[in-house]
Amino acid sequence: KFIADTSLPSSFQIINHDDYTNSGYDRGHMVRSEERTATEEDNRSTFLMSTILPQTPKLNQQTWLSLEYECERLCKAEGKELYVIAGGVYSKQPQRLNGKVAVPDSCWKIVVILDKGQKPKDISSSTKVIAVMMNNGQYDKSNNSWELYKTTINAIEKSTGYDFLRDLPDALEEQIESK
């Protein structure tokens, strides 16, 4: 069962497991439980309500999951180290589950792919990235591959207003974010 995140500031509305019940939306992990198994505490953190978003079942269980499987493959089969950032894009008046939980129109994920042992300081012009923006709606069975939703980090920045790799030198940041 997912757990309310009591570490959030008191001004935040606390979301509970039951706020999703019978809503038609899955509790979509931004980080899979299987990716955080080093300690029980690491794994438990993936079940905090602050680390999930409402996702349609097909997005969560098929399209989003296909990208999670690719990330797992990169780590296990190719020995890569991944730095992952994920979130949602919301309309000005989003639908709300139980009057509380805002439903994103789209979910995005950015994956910076490095060799084992490398750190963000090792990002170079040859560093590979995966950037996707997936509609949080209905999908046909033929459209389950994450690869259909590839985009650029620049496009995600435009949709979210965030500046993701701002600590990189400007020329390198632009090169990586436009891939």
Side-chain angles (χ1 to χ4, degrees):
K1 193 169 185 178
F2 289 85
I3 329 163
D5 189 344
T6 58
S7 71
L8 295 172
S10 60
S11 61
F12 282 46
Q13 185 168 34
I14 301 299
I15 304 301
N16 297 297
H17 178 91
D18 294 339
D19 291 328
Y20 280 70
T21 303
N22 298 320
S23 68
Y25 286 88
D26 286 359
R27 295 166 190 86
H29 284 92
M30 292 297 98
V31 177
R32 284 175 53 209
S33 168
E34 293 85 351
E35 295 167 355
R36 295 287 184 265
T37 57
T39 67
E40 187 176 320
E41 184 179 343
D42 281 351
N43 186 261
R44 190 174 30 251
S45 73
T46 69
F47 289 94
L48 290 171
M49 295 300 294
S50 58
T51 67
I52 65 168
L53 293 177
Q55 291 182 326
T56 60
K58 281 197 177 184
L59 173 59
N60 183 45
Q61 298 168 29
Q62 295 175 17
T63 313
W64 191 260
L65 183 60
S66 73
L67 176 56
E68 292 174 328
Y69 285 151
E70 173 60 10
C71 291
E72 182 178 353
R73 186 196 69 74
L74 286 166
C75 292
K76 289 182 176 177
E78 296 188 24
K80 299 298 182 182
E81 189 142 325
L82 309 181
Y83 286 82
V84 180
I85 310 165
V89 176
Y90 299 84
S91 69
K92 290 184 192 240
Q93 297 292 323
Q95 173 188 344
R96 292 191 178 270
L97 307 183
N98 215 9
K100 295 167 72 175
V101 185
V103 177
D105 294 330
S106 299
C107 295
W108 53 267
K109 188 173 274 197
I110 297 168
V111 183
V112 178
I113 305 165
L114 297 171
D115 289 329
K116 195 81 156 171
Q118 287 187 316
K119 302 292 180 205
K121 67 176 179 51
D122 298 309
I123 293 172
S124 71
S125 60
S126 62
T127 298
K128 294 182 178 167
V129 297
I130 295 172
V132 297
M133 178 76 74
M134 299 176 183
N135 182 293
N136 195 18
Q138 299 303 313
Y139 289 83
D140 295 331
K141 285 191 183 264
S142 61
N143 289 347
N144 293 336
S145 173
W146 66 269
E147 293 181 283
L148 296 171
Y149 304 96
K150 288 194 274 187
T151 188
T152 65
I153 296 173
N154 281 337
I156 296 172
E157 287 180 333
K158 187 175 179 182
S159 294
T160 63
Y162 297 134
D163 183 8
F164 293 108
L165 303 178
R166 67 180 172 269
D167 291 341
L168 294 177
D170 289 342
L172 179 58
E173 177 185 6
E174 180 52 36
Q175 195 172 24
I176 296 292
E177 291 182 350
S178 63
K179 286 184 179 183

